[in-house]
Amino acid sequence: MTRRNFFAKAGVAGFAGLLAKSASADQPDPQQNSSDGQRANQTDAAGQFSPGEPGRDYTPVIIPNGSTLPYKVVGNVKVFHLIAEEVDHEFAPGLRAQCWGFNGQVHGPTIEAVEGDKLRIYVTNKLPESTSVHWHGIVVPNGMDGVAGLNQKPIEPGETYKYEFQLRQHGTYMYHSHTDDMTQIALGMMGMFIIHPRQPAGPRPDRDFVLMSSEWRIDVGTSRPVPTEMTDFNVLTFNGRAFPGTAPLVVKTGDRVKIRFGNLSPMEHHPIHLHGFYWKIVEMDGLKLPETAQQPGSTVLVAVGQTRAVEFIADNPGDWAMHCHMTHHTMNQMGHNTPNLIGVKPSNLDRRVSKLIPGYMQMGEDGMAGMGEMGMPVPRNSIPMLGAPGKHGYIDMGGMFTILKVRDNLTTYDDPGWYENPPGTLAALATNDELQRDLGELPQTKPMDKNMKDMNM
Ligand SMILES: [Cu+2]
């Protein structure tokens, strides 16, 4: 059966036409390229694909801080079970909140399958209100699309619904609640949905990562995200974790790396930037781009509701930052809405407030960089403004920030620790000799402190 026939048989007219068209440009026809007998055997007499198997049909994705939803095969159908429920979730060491997720996780586990697979997904509702699940970007029969009221009845608390569809496409997709969306998405009810191609066009990635972005408003001292928030989010996450709670992405030098981004933040888009590399955007909203349209770059804007996948060869060893480039999206909970004291000397203020609050110390007059490492006591169940200790001092980043670790000669993909910079490749204090030689003089520095206005109170 040809790919075109497969789509025709599947009965999706317009969209499948688009898929078949783009697929035929850069992807081999499964029939014509089934040179190895194993692949040829994947369709039965009726022309149906057998359930795709990890290892044989795909290299499983890696979900830092997350997991893949297990399935079992019944007949030739892959059966999954999602359980919508309240989850006591840790965003980073020091901050937990009562969220809503699936199967004990925030976000829900990643669903992973293969183009052509037939799926049956049970959804059990253990929440106090009704819910439903939408398969975001995936072409399904109308009654399986999950918008409560429009496509189906809501799944009431205690009920289990059954969704059934065959995957007619491949790429990076998502799933999320589509009942009381504002509340349920703000509380975390979403996950990624990865569909591997039945017949990959090129080499499989060696390391295939999945990162889902979201944002939350959790007031300091509370433990329930605020679902009515529209603009002022203070916890920003990859896979439900804020740095330093994010696990690094570990790869070997020379690995072919794919990173799939999805964004189901309630309100904001995230320009995700990787240091040290240029990538190519190979997929938009799950659709594979022909090579001539694969935009190169090092920042990819992932708008709310979008997925993007990028690929590159990890040919530059080191510890490389990867983060949203909106500066407030790399801050932690207590970094927002602080008074502006830059250039102000609050000398008398501290003394006066100390009478009321023992140990009080105003912060921020020299900028914010020192604030994470000061070890100031923070309120119970909160994460301070900034990051974590690094190899060369304190990393004053938080939120939607993680680290790509590229190493020669790895034997496992466990965290290899910090990168050892080869001699002569580390920025360091300039010597006076060097400054004289290259600048002809020593730079005069006027301490900024002299310019500060005293704050007389
Ligand atoms: Cu962002």
Side-chain angles (χ1 to χ4, degrees):
M1 176 168 95
T2 67
R3 186 182 190 90
R4 210 170 286 273
N5 286 344
F6 169 64
F7 283 113
K9 199 164 184 170
V12 255
F15 194 61
L18 172 72
L19 281 173
K21 211 171 170 185
S22 78
S24 65
D26 64 323
Q27 288 170 5
D29 179 281
Q31 193 74 2
Q32 285 166 10
N33 287 275
S34 54
S35 50
D36 78 75
Q38 202 176 30
R39 296 205 173 275
N41 289 338
Q42 285 179 12
T43 52
D44 62 19
Q48 298 290 350
F49 288 109
S50 63
E53 284 177 24
R56 184 190 72 178
D57 296 301
Y58 62 93
T59 305
V61 293
I62 303 143
I63 306 127
N65 303 109
S67 71
T68 305
L69 184 63
Y71 64 88
K72 63 178 185 177
V73 176
V74 179
N76 66 344
V77 178
K78 286 186 178 174
V79 177
F80 296 85
H81 188 190
L82 285 172
I83 300 164
E85 60 190 350
E86 183 157 297
V87 178
D88 177 28
H89 174 64
E90 187 191 69
F91 287 87
L95 179 64
R96 304 191 77 89
Q98 300 302 307
C99 303
W100 289 0
F102 294 95
N103 301 48
Q105 292 176 43
V106 169
H107 304 296
T110 296
I111 296 174
E112 188 172 27
V114 178
E115 178 186 19
D117 280 352
K118 290 177 172 175
L119 307 190
R120 190 176 302 132
I121 306 174
Y122 291 96
V123 177
T124 297
N125 182 7
K126 291 171 74 173
L127 297 171
E129 69 166 349
S130 63
T131 191
S132 62
V133 177
H134 167 62
W135 320 100
H136 186 109
I138 300 174
V139 179
V140 296
N142 185 252
M144 297 291 164
D145 200 45
V147 182
L150 177 66
N151 304 121
Q152 65 167 89
K153 290 181 177 170
I155 310 172
E156 298 297 340
E159 291 181 341
T160 297
Y161 267 53
K162 179 184 70 176
Y163 294 87
E164 287 182 296
F165 45 87
Q166 185 170 14
L167 300 174
R168 299 159 178 174
Q169 64 204 89
H170 59 82
T172 304
Y173 303 96
M174 305 185 282
Y175 65 90
H176 61 86
S177 155
H178 225 311
T179 299
D180 190 11
D181 299 29
M182 186 190 81
T183 303
Q184 296 189 7
I185 286 180
L187 292 179
M189 291 191 61
M190 60 189 83
M192 297 295 287
F193 196 136
I194 307 302
I195 309 172
H196 294 278
R198 182 62 60 166
Q199 189 77 39
R204 290 183 197 176
D206 299 300
R207 301 287 279 165
D208 189 346
F209 295 100
V210 177
L211 287 176
M212 180 168 236
S213 295
S214 194
E215 59 194 7
W216 317 69
R217 165 73 181 274
I218 306 171
D219 291 323
V220 171
T222 70
S223 58
R224 177 77 77 178
V226 181
T228 50
E229 183 57 54
M230 281 191 283
T231 56
D232 205 2
F233 300 93
N234 62 358
V235 177
L236 283 293
T237 54
F238 276 137
N239 290 346
R241 301 276 288 180
F243 186 79
T246 51
L249 283 57
V250 181
V251 312
K252 281 203 288 276
T253 307
D255 274 352
R256 177 179 294 273
V257 179
K258 182 168 187 168
I259 307 176
R260 305 166 186 258
F261 301 104
N263 179 14
L264 282 177
S265 302
M267 293 299 290
E268 289 171 306
H269 312 320
H270 303 293
I272 308 294
H273 175 58
L274 172 65
H275 295 215
F277 298 92
Y278 282 98
W279 57 38
K280 281 184 172 177
I281 300 172
V282 295
E283 256 184 48
M284 297 172 73
D285 291 344
L287 296 177
K288 186 162 168 50
L289 295 170
E291 206 160 321
T292 49
Q294 293 180 0
Q295 193 186 349
S298 62
T299 302
V300 60
L301 180 63
V302 192
V304 176
Q306 289 184 334
T307 72
R308 294 289 183 266
V310 301
E311 283 186 5
F312 58 97
I313 303 294
D315 55 3
N316 194 6
D319 288 340
W320 302 104
M322 187 169 75
H323 58 96
C324 177
H325 222 292
M326 297 212 186
T327 55
H328 268 264
H329 293 182
T330 52
M331 296 287 285
N332 280 337
Q333 205 183 17
M334 295 173 68
H336 314 265
N337 281 334
T338 51
N340 184 6
L341 291 174
I342 293 175
V344 172
K345 214 174 178 177
S347 42
N348 293 332
L349 183 64
D350 281 356
R351 192 164 43 78
R352 293 191 170 210
V353 178
S354 296
K355 289 178 190 163
L356 302 169
I357 308 170
Y360 176 84
M361 185 170 67
Q362 186 55 257
M363 304 189 292
E365 61 268 23
D366 302 323
M368 308 284 179
M371 301 182 73
E373 61 183 317
M374 289 171 80
M376 297 280 290
V378 296
R380 195 173 56 81
N381 196 44
S382 68
I383 41 178
M385 337 186 69
L386 303 168
K391 180 175 167 65
H392 304 286
Y394 204 83
I395 303 169
D396 52 15
M397 306 284 279
M400 204 177 287
F401 179 95
T402 190
I403 302 170
L404 175 75
K405 297 191 172 188
V406 184
R407 295 287 188 282
D408 301 333
N409 309 317
L410 283 183
T411 53
T412 76
Y413 284 115
D414 296 337
D415 187 344
W418 300 114
Y419 183 63
E420 290 294 337
N421 306 90
T425 66
L426 177 65
L429 192 66
T431 65
N432 284 352
D433 285 351
E434 288 165 340
L435 291 168
Q436 285 288 5
R437 181 193 66 204
D438 294 339
L439 304 183
E441 59 178 354
L442 298 183
Q444 296 301 308
T445 52
K446 190 168 87 174
M448 191 179 159
D449 199 46
K450 298 256 164 64
N451 295 330
M452 284 189 176
K453 278 172 100 173
D454 232 352
M455 197 172 175
N456 285 315
M457 291 187 68

